[in-house]
Amino acid sequence: MASSSVPRTDSLSPSWAVGVLTRDQVRQLDRRAIEHYQVPSLVLMENAGRGCAACLVRAGIRGTVLICCGKGNNAGDGFVVARHLDALGYPVRVWYWDDPAEFSADAAANFRIAQHAGIPLERMPADAPEVWSGAAREVDWCVDALLGTGARGDPRPPYAHVIRWMNQFAARRCAVDLPSGLDCDTGEPADPTVRADLTCTFVAWKRGFLNPAAQPYLGKIIVVPIGVPGSLLKEFRLARAVRERAFS
């Protein structure tokens, strides 16, 4: 964990920590990038997933990468991760628990791409950890693409069951943007919360990462740039932090 590079707090605004993002700021940043700067949301998702895949390759892959997806944009990132790892020749599998008709628009788009690419996509039974364990042989990494920065409170089934299974399963765990169950703003872990070995967070640290209570759940944190324009990063006072932390 890169504790030596914890962002300082801006003395002019006690509610703002320089180099980190709150839940609302994540939404604002995305909206500005899409609406004002005309960066398609699918481009941001593509960059996010490709960056996560690169982080996993750098960390070392010694077996199958299992990507566990929810139904929101975090799941979309997961589908992109699967596609890029598959393109590099790594064995991947994608598990999901929701009806694809419920996926967010961008997640659904990347789900369809993964289908056409022939990536193994399996809808799993809602509460069957013994089935999951039996089907997850030779898995080296479990990728947590269940819940994103907008999630609050304790995860509900089936995600609660999946998180508990992931924490007990003998594989390394990578969180997409932040561990599912960890509150983006407060850093307080819900019951349950994914205990990640690696967190690939987008654009900047999330404010909750500064809470000592979050540390056991984050593992190594890597900041993944997703193509947000430099002038927009300056608006959010992130330019220096992103430059110093990108992929580190």
Side-chain angles (χ1 to χ4, degrees), residues 123-241:
R123 186 173 180 182
M124 303 302 287
D127 183 14
E130 68 286 347
V131 174
W132 305 338
S133 294
R137 292 182 295 273
E138 299 182 357
V139 167
D140 181 33
W141 283 99
C142 280
V143 176
D144 163 27
L146 295 170
L147 301 171
T149 56
R152 301 171 186 259
D154 291 344
R156 292 175 290 183
Y159 304 136
H161 303 315
V162 179
I163 291 169
R164 291 191 177 96
W165 174 81
M166 287 179 67
N167 284 341
Q168 295 172 359
F169 187 67
R172 293 181 287 175
R173 292 174 290 276
C174 172
V176 173
D177 208 12
L178 84 171
S180 293
L182 190 74
D183 190 275
C184 175
D185 285 354
T186 68
E188 290 297 321
D191 180 19
T193 295
V194 169
R195 290 183 176 269
D197 298 290
L198 173 66
T199 296
C200 300
T201 197
F202 304 138
V203 183
W205 280 31
K206 305 309 179 280
R207 186 175 183 179
F209 293 2
L210 302 176
N211 183 349
Q215 305 311 302
Y217 300 89
L218 292 165
K220 179 181 180 181
I221 303 170
I222 298 179
V223 174
V224 175
I226 63 171
V228 173
S231 55
L232 181 53
L233 295 174
K234 289 178 182 177
E235 286 183 35
F236 281 77
R237 291 187 285 178
L238 292 170
R240 179 179 176 183

Side-chain angles (χ1 to χ4, degrees), residues 61-66 90-93 137-142:
I61 298 173
R62 300 187 295 268
T64 299
V65 179
L66 173 64
Y90 293 101
V92 297
R93 298 174 67 181
R137 292 182 295 273
E138 299 182 357
V139 167
D140 181 33
W141 283 99
C142 280

Side-chain angles (χ1 to χ4, degrees), residues 68-154:
C68 298
C69 293
K71 60 183 178 180
N73 284 344
N74 201 247
D77 300 329
F79 299 139
V80 176
V81 171
R83 173 161 45 83
H84 281 280
L85 290 178
D86 176 70
L88 292 171
Y90 293 101
V92 297
R93 298 174 67 181
V94 176
W95 289 359
Y96 62 97
W97 285 262
D98 297 281
D99 185 338
E102 299 177 1
F103 290 169
S104 71
D106 287 354
N110 276 297
F111 178 76
R112 290 191 295 271
I113 294 171
Q115 284 181 310
H116 287 293
I119 292 169
L121 301 160
E122 302 169 74
R123 186 173 180 182
M124 303 302 287
D127 183 14
E130 68 286 347
V131 174
W132 305 338
S133 294
R137 292 182 295 273
E138 299 182 357
V139 167
D140 181 33
W141 283 99
C142 280
V143 176
D144 163 27
L146 295 170
L147 301 171
T149 56
R152 301 171 186 259
D154 291 344

